[in-house]
């Protein structure tokens, strides 16, 4: 298995620790159900435990533990790092922050949290998220693909059976695809474009595409939109120690996700609605 960033090697230990945590959570929940005769949490774990009734207990327990591990690993750092990068770019580009605030103020009113039904009415906020994904895809390499047969692409022969890591990070900064300064954060480039993140436009694939496309896409887009919109509309933001916008550190750290090397530190000031 190709492991260009040594992710697989580094994460084996942490996966084991997380499995231990999920093991304990499932055990506690089962004890609760046995004691009270019912489960009052009404969540995914309850649904999985209900579904597993009557099946081989040990096998199902292991499956549930691994499913929780997968969703936890795939669904936490990806969302938080995208949000952190979006805020980093907005704080580094005060003119873009001002435009985003203006759109929100005019559309839903200053200080109000964003709701799901507002999505279509906030094209600039959508463009900010797309531009964040273009420059800072939280999964810089897609899950590797395997060539079913010999294939020729741009004069290169890819032999049957080769593993193909897809470098979404490089695609997002490819000057053959993106006009203007490809390293510049400019949500305007998406205004009026059809391009979305659902795997149909190969120039922007933050969630991958095809059969292995991220199953958390819809959920992730929804919560990112709500969180980013609410952070921008409900707070003004100040940098620590009078730091200037242009001094914000944007160094990247490649790991399971593409994180900021140094966490963003900013101070929220509640705005009056
Ligand atoms: C900003 C948020 C997210 C990004 C950028 C993201 C991105 C990705 C990418 C690029 C893949 C590989 C797709 C491919 O190779 O074609 C993937 C797979 C996956 N994602 Fe996400 N993801 C995000 C959030 C989530 C969330 C919230 C969940 C679930 C709660 C989730 C669950 C998964 C799972 C289970 C897979 C593996 C699918 C498979 O192996 O077939 N992701 N994600």
């Amino acid at each position: 298995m190709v492991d260009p960033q040594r992710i697989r090697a580094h994460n084996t230990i942490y996966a084991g620790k997380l499995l231990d945590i999920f093991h304990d959570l499932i055990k506690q929940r089962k004890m609760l159900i046995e004691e009270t005769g019912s489960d009052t949490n009404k969540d995914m774990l309850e649904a999985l435990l209900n579904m597993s009734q009557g099946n081989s207990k040990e096998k199902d327990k292991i499956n549930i533990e691994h499913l929780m591990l997968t969703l936890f690993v795939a669904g936490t750092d990806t969302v938080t790092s995208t949000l952190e990068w979006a805020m980093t770019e907005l704080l580094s580009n005060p003119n873009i922050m001002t435009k985003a605030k203006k759109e929100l103020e005019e559309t839903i009113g200053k200080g109000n949290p964003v709701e799901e039904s507002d999505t279509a009415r906030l094209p600039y906020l959508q463009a900010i998220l797309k531009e964040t994904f273009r420059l800072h895809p939280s999964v810089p390499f897609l899950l590797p693909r395997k060539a079913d047969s010999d294939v020729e692409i741009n004069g290169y022969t890819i032999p049957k059976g080769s593993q193909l890591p897809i470098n979404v990070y490089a695609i997002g900064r490819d000057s053959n695809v993106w006009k203007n300064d490809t390293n510049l954060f400019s949500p305007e480039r998406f205004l009026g474009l059809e391009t979305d993140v659902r795997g149909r436009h190969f120039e922007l694939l933050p969630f991958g595409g095809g059969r292995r496309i991220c199953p958390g896409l819809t959920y992730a887009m929804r919560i990112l939109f709500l969180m980013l919109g609410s952070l921008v509309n409900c707070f003004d933001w100040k940098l620590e120690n009078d730091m200037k916008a242009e001094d914000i550190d944007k160094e990247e750290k490649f790991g399971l996700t593409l994180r900021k090397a140094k966490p963003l530190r900013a101070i929220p000031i509640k705005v009056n609605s």
Side-chain angles (χ1 to χ4, degrees):
M1 172 66 76
V2 180
D3 187 14
Q5 299 148 273
R6 305 276 304 141
I7 290 174
R8 184 173 288 265
H10 289 141
N11 285 308
T12 309
I13 302 165
Y14 298 110
K17 288 186 178 173
L18 280 170
L19 281 172
D20 288 345
I21 294 174
F22 295 135
H23 178 87
D24 287 346
L25 284 174
I26 294 171
K27 203 164 123 192
Q28 282 168 23
R29 182 65 69 86
K30 280 185 156 171
M31 275 165 56
L32 183 78
I33 296 172
E34 271 164 27
E35 276 166 22
T36 60
S38 73
D39 183 345
T40 48
N41 285 281
K42 305 266 177 257
D43 55 12
M44 191 187 80
L45 182 54
E46 180 195 6
L48 290 170
L49 289 173
N50 283 342
M51 277 180 344
S52 79
Q53 269 178 10
N55 296 347
S56 151
K57 280 198 176 137
E58 191 51 32
K59 192 166 158 240
D60 263 20
K61 191 170 69 58
I62 293 171
N63 282 344
I64 294 175
E65 281 167 12
H66 280 81
L67 179 61
M68 288 173 79
L69 175 71
T70 306
L71 294 181
F72 183 83
V73 172
T76 45
D77 263 16
T78 44
V79 172
T80 54
S81 72
T82 305
L83 189 63
E84 188 178 22
W85 277 116
M87 286 300 291
T88 300
E89 290 294 1
L90 289 179
L91 286 164
S92 318
N93 295 281
N95 56 331
I96 297 176
M97 176 70 102
T98 306
K99 278 192 195 177
K101 277 182 168 292
K102 189 162 176 282
E103 182 187 62
L104 283 156
E105 189 176 335
E106 287 173 1
T107 315
I108 62 167
K110 194 172 178 179
N112 293 326
V114 177
E115 312 233 339
E116 242 180 284
S117 52
D118 299 321
T119 319
R121 300 194 293 148
L122 295 166
Y124 197 64
L125 190 62
Q126 288 180 39
I128 288 172
L129 273 178
K130 286 180 189 170
E131 182 67 339
T132 305
F133 280 129
R134 182 185 71 82
L135 278 180
H136 310 289
S138 44
V139 184
F141 282 95
L142 297 185
L143 302 175
R145 266 56 176 181
K146 197 167 165 187
D148 277 349
S149 54
D150 290 353
V151 57
E152 198 179 307
I153 299 179
N154 285 350
Y156 293 93
T157 303
I158 315 232
K160 179 178 173 180
S162 313
Q163 270 205 32
L164 305 167
I166 296 164
N167 190 341
V168 169
Y169 181 90
I171 296 172
R173 292 171 188 246
D174 184 349
S175 55
N176 293 315
V177 176
W178 301 101
K179 302 283 166 286
N180 307 328
D181 182 353
T182 55
N183 290 321
L184 185 75
F185 187 82
S186 169
E188 283 71 13
R189 68 175 88 237
F190 283 102
L191 295 179
L193 276 191
E194 291 275 295
T195 316
D196 66 26
V197 293
R198 301 191 166 268
R200 298 180 300 168
H201 300 106
F202 294 161
E203 64 274 31
L204 190 68
L205 291 171
F207 294 94
R211 276 192 294 182
R212 302 301 295 275
I213 194 169
C214 172
L217 186 160
T218 306
Y219 169 73
M221 283 308 281
R222 206 169 283 171
I223 53 167
L224 277 168
F225 187 81
L226 297 182
M227 287 194 294
L228 183 63
S230 300
L231 286 180
V232 171
N233 200 36
C234 300
F235 300 95
D236 287 328
W237 292 88
K238 212 170 82 163
L239 293 170
E240 278 189 327
N241 306 327
D242 295 325
M243 186 196 271
K244 293 198 180 69
E246 57 270 28
D247 293 334
I248 295 181
D249 191 297
K250 291 198 197 164
E251 197 189 329
E252 296 156 332
K253 189 172 158 202
F254 283 86
L256 192 61
T257 53
L258 178 63
R259 294 208 70 96
K260 283 188 87 255
K262 293 191 191 115
L264 174 68
R265 295 174 68 92
I267 302 157
I269 302 151
K270 180 104 183 72
V271 301
N272 298 320
S273 38

